[in-house]
Amino acid sequence: MQNLNLSSLKKLEIILGGEYQSFATDLLDRAGVKGYTIVHNLSGKGSHGFREGHLMFNEDDVLIMVIAAVPEDMVEPILEGFEPFFNKHSGVVFVSDIQVSRLVKFSDQG
Amino acid sequence: MQNLNLSSLKKLEIILGGEYQSFATDLLDRAGVKGYTIVHNLSGKGSHGFREGHLMFNEDDVLIMVIAAVPEDMVEPILEGFEPFFNKHSGVVFVSDIQVSRLVKFSDQG
Amino acid sequence: MQNLNLSSLKKLEIILGGEYQSFATDLLDRAGVKGYTIVHNLSGKGSHGFREGHLMFNEDDVLIMVIAAVPEDMVEPILEGFEPFFNKHSGVVFVSDIQVSRLVKFSDQG
């Protein structure tokens, strides 16, 4: 797959209240994340599989999911950056393995 | 990553007709799933990579994706719970590995 | 998990400008992809973690994410098919491992 230039990265899916969108994207910007995609108008309920059992969202909240693909060594500082926020506010971060096609707009002269 | 408390879970992405949202969330509730997030107003077509070739969605359907993070041992009973529904109705369930940050609203005294 | 019939597939998440939806789905159709789901009205910024640093989306673009589950041997031809497009237009393709429940509408006589 010589031409595909797939890179192994970590996908972060950050689900939080829509009113905190700029907090999340500012944090990603400061962490050096080069891009992200946002899915709007999610709904949700509960605590995403955790045993604590306290509600984290209720059905009237309007949530967003911020999706970013980052090198593995950026995962820890980003999650640590979100920790104080999530100590006060509802939300969840999913981390998973992905490969990303290396997309360049201009031909690669390398 | 001592402070991150990442847990390995399975992500379920359940895509089905939007009119069956409460069926899906009721099934998850009864299975003991603590939370989920719903992406609304998806469109779709076809049978998601299966060889049978029959259409499962057409382009006018309004679909939702219900996302839940569950312990591995809950995957089988949940999929079995959906099986009779999917014998009659269109849809698909994606299962993938994720790590989830353990979000607690109050400081961890442990 | 005899009844679950989980198949290991690759999930493609193709993020691109909404005006190119039919380009993307036509390419998938011609590649033999049997189905896909589309998330609409995404927003995004940047280049999704790549070092080149040029902006690929700006905050006013309306993006879509086309999700398809395909056998592994279809990933390379599909990515190659998108390559000329992404040489000119912004976007990204995420590739990840998933298992998919084999959903059949009629009872399995096998």
Side-chain angles (χ1 to χ4, degrees):
Chain A
M1 306 213 292
Q2 180 185 342
N3 293 320
L4 295 182
N5 288 313
L6 289 175
S7 304
S8 290
L9 294 171
K10 293 287 184 180
K11 183 164 76 164
L12 302 178
E13 294 172 302
I14 304 156
I15 299 173
L16 75 176
E19 66 269 38
Y20 301 113
Q21 176 176 329
S22 62
F23 164 79
T25 58
D26 287 352
L27 192 153
L28 294 176
D29 287 341
R30 281 181 281 116
V33 174
K34 294 292 187 292
Y36 47 78
T37 302
I38 303 172
V39 187
H40 299 273
N41 294 312
L42 309 186
S43 61
K45 201 183 78 168
S47 60
H48 268 285
F50 294 95
R51 285 175 289 270
E52 290 79 2
H54 58 266
L55 275 197
M56 295 182 65
F57 299 126
N58 68 62
E59 299 187 51
D60 293 328
D61 289 335
V62 175
L63 310 175
I64 59 170
M65 178 190 288
V66 182
I67 303 169
V70 303
E72 182 162 10
D73 60 5
M74 292 177 63
V75 173
E76 181 170 347
I78 290 171
L79 291 184
E80 287 176 349
F82 275 106
E83 196 170 2
F85 175 82
F86 284 128
N87 282 339
K88 293 190 197 156
H89 302 285
S90 299
V92 71
V93 181
F94 297 150
V95 182
S96 59
D97 295 315
I98 52 164
Q99 293 191 292
V100 180
S101 61
R102 179 168 169 260
L103 304 170
V104 292
K105 279 193 171 182
F106 305 100
S107 62
D108 195 346
Q109 304 296 332
Chain B
M1 306 213 291
Q2 180 185 343
N3 292 323
L4 295 182
N5 288 313
L6 289 175
S7 304
S8 290
L9 294 171
K10 293 287 184 179
K11 182 164 77 164
L12 302 179
E13 295 171 302
I14 304 157
I15 300 173
L16 77 176
E19 67 269 38
Y20 301 113
Q21 176 175 329
S22 61
F23 164 79
T25 58
D26 286 351
L27 192 152
L28 293 175
D29 287 340
R30 280 182 281 116
V33 174
K34 294 291 187 293
Y36 47 80
T37 303
I38 302 172
V39 187
H40 299 272
N41 293 313
L42 310 186
S43 61
K45 202 183 78 168
S47 59
H48 268 285
F50 294 94
R51 284 174 291 270
E52 290 79 1
H54 58 266
L55 275 198
M56 295 182 66
F57 299 126
N58 69 62
E59 300 187 51
D60 294 328
D61 289 335
V62 175
L63 309 175
I64 59 170
M65 179 190 288
V66 182
I67 302 170
V70 303
E72 182 162 11
D73 61 5
M74 291 178 62
V75 173
E76 181 170 346
I78 290 171
L79 291 184
E80 286 176 349
F82 275 105
E83 196 170 2
F85 174 82
F86 284 129
N87 282 338
K88 293 190 195 156
H89 302 285
S90 299
V92 71
V93 182
F94 297 150
V95 182
S96 58
D97 295 316
I98 52 165
Q99 293 191 293
V100 180
S101 62
R102 178 166 170 261
L103 306 171
V104 292
K105 281 192 170 182
F106 305 100
S107 63
D108 196 345
Q109 305 297 333
Chain C
M1 307 213 292
Q2 180 184 344
N3 292 321
L4 295 181
N5 289 312
L6 288 176
S7 305
S8 290
L9 295 170
K10 293 287 185 179
K11 182 163 77 165
L12 302 179
E13 294 172 303
I14 305 156
I15 299 172
L16 76 175
E19 67 269 38
Y20 301 112
Q21 175 175 330
S22 61
F23 165 79
T25 57
D26 287 352
L27 193 152
L28 293 176
D29 286 341
R30 281 182 280 116
V33 174
K34 295 291 187 292
Y36 47 79
T37 302
I38 303 172
V39 187
H40 299 273
N41 295 311
L42 309 186
S43 61
K45 202 183 77 168
S47 61
H48 268 284
F50 294 95
R51 284 175 290 270
E52 289 79 1
H54 58 266
L55 275 198
M56 294 182 66
F57 300 125
N58 69 62
E59 300 188 52
D60 294 328
D61 290 334
V62 175
L63 310 175
I64 59 170
M65 178 190 289
V66 183
I67 303 170
V70 304
E72 182 163 11
D73 61 6
M74 291 178 61
V75 173
E76 181 170 346
I78 290 170
L79 291 183
E80 286 177 349
F82 274 106
E83 196 170 3
F85 174 82
F86 284 128
N87 282 339
K88 294 189 195 155
H89 302 285
S90 299
V92 71
V93 181
F94 297 150
V95 182
S96 58
D97 294 315
I98 52 164
Q99 293 191 293
V100 180
S101 62
R102 179 168 169 259
L103 305 170
V104 293
K105 281 192 171 181
F106 305 100
S107 63
D108 195 345
Q109 304 297 332

